């Protein structure tokens, strides 16, 4: 369940207090955790993956798949839960994905890889999400 928007931090300093240093680097500064280091890379537990910053529901576990890319991968998100932004950093063009509720960085989305029937891979940092196993 999403945190009430009125309780969301309104400044980056407020986010810095709420999040761990690693979470802040990824969620608020668009950082990336090292491949294969995240707690959810190989997780098979059923449930709902929520935004670690605000608690908004993002990805049902049924949309998670093994992409062997080093980060948790999902072939779809809950409609309206994720927004896409053009990312021109690091000398390439990618599509960044952010939580639509709190604007925190989740990762990037890639299309055309033919890894699933939906032909989409949301490559998400484990530090950006939190699994709620009760909400399967």
């Amino acid at each position: 369940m999403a945190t009430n928007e009125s309780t969301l931090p309104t400044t980056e300093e407020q986010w810095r207090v709420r999040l761990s240093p690693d979470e802040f680097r990824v969620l608020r500064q668009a950082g990336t955790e090292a491949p294969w280091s995240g707690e959810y890379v190989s997780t098979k537990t059923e449930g709902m993956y929520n935004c670690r910053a605000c608690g908004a529901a993002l990805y049902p576990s049924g949309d998670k798949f093994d992409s062997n890319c080093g980060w948790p991968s999902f072939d779809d998100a809950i409609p309206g839960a994720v927004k896409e932004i053009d990312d021109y950093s690091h000398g390439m063009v990618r599509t960044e994905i952010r939580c639509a509720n709190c604007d925190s960085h989740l990762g990037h989305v890639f299309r055309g890889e033919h890894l699933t029937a939906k032909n989409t891979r949301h490559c998400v940092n484990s530090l950006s999400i939190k699994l709620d196993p009760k909400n399967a």
Side-chain angles (χ1 to χ4, degrees):
M1 176 178 278
T3 302
N4 183 323
E5 245 182 88
S6 65
T7 65
L8 288 177
T10 57
T11 68
E12 292 308 300
E13 284 310 308
Q14 290 171 337
W15 280 113
R16 192 179 299 276
V17 170
R18 177 183 274 203
L19 302 170
S20 75
D22 285 338
E23 291 168 346
F24 184 82
R25 181 182 57 78
V26 171
L27 287 158
R28 304 307 302 171
Q29 297 177 320
T32 301
E33 63 195 1
W36 305 107
S37 68
E39 68 180 302
Y40 298 122
V41 174
S42 301
T43 301
K44 305 283 189 213
T45 305
E46 290 185 15
M48 180 64 66
Y49 288 89
N50 301 319
C51 176
R52 193 175 292 248
C54 72
L58 302 171
Y59 299 101
S61 60
D63 289 325
K64 188 173 186 291
F65 70 98
D66 291 326
S67 67
N68 295 309
C69 71
W71 292 273
S73 297
F74 303 85
D75 67 356
D76 210 351
I78 293 172
V82 172
K83 64 182 179 179
E84 299 183 7
I85 299 168
D86 291 338
D87 177 1
Y88 300 100
S89 65
H90 305 292
M92 62 183 102
V93 179
R94 298 180 294 174
T95 303
E96 179 185 2
I97 48 177
R98 293 187 186 184
C99 174
N101 186 55
C102 71
D103 201 38
S104 289
H105 174 76
L106 303 172
H108 290 86
V109 63
F110 302 93
R111 294 183 175 85
E113 298 174 319
H114 304 288
L115 298 173
T116 70
K118 294 179 183 177
N119 204 17
T120 300
R121 175 173 57 99
H122 288 236
C123 185
V124 180
N125 292 284
S126 287
L127 284 168
S128 296
I129 53 179
K130 184 85 174 151
L131 175 61
D132 180 1
K134 296 174 285 199
N135 192 0

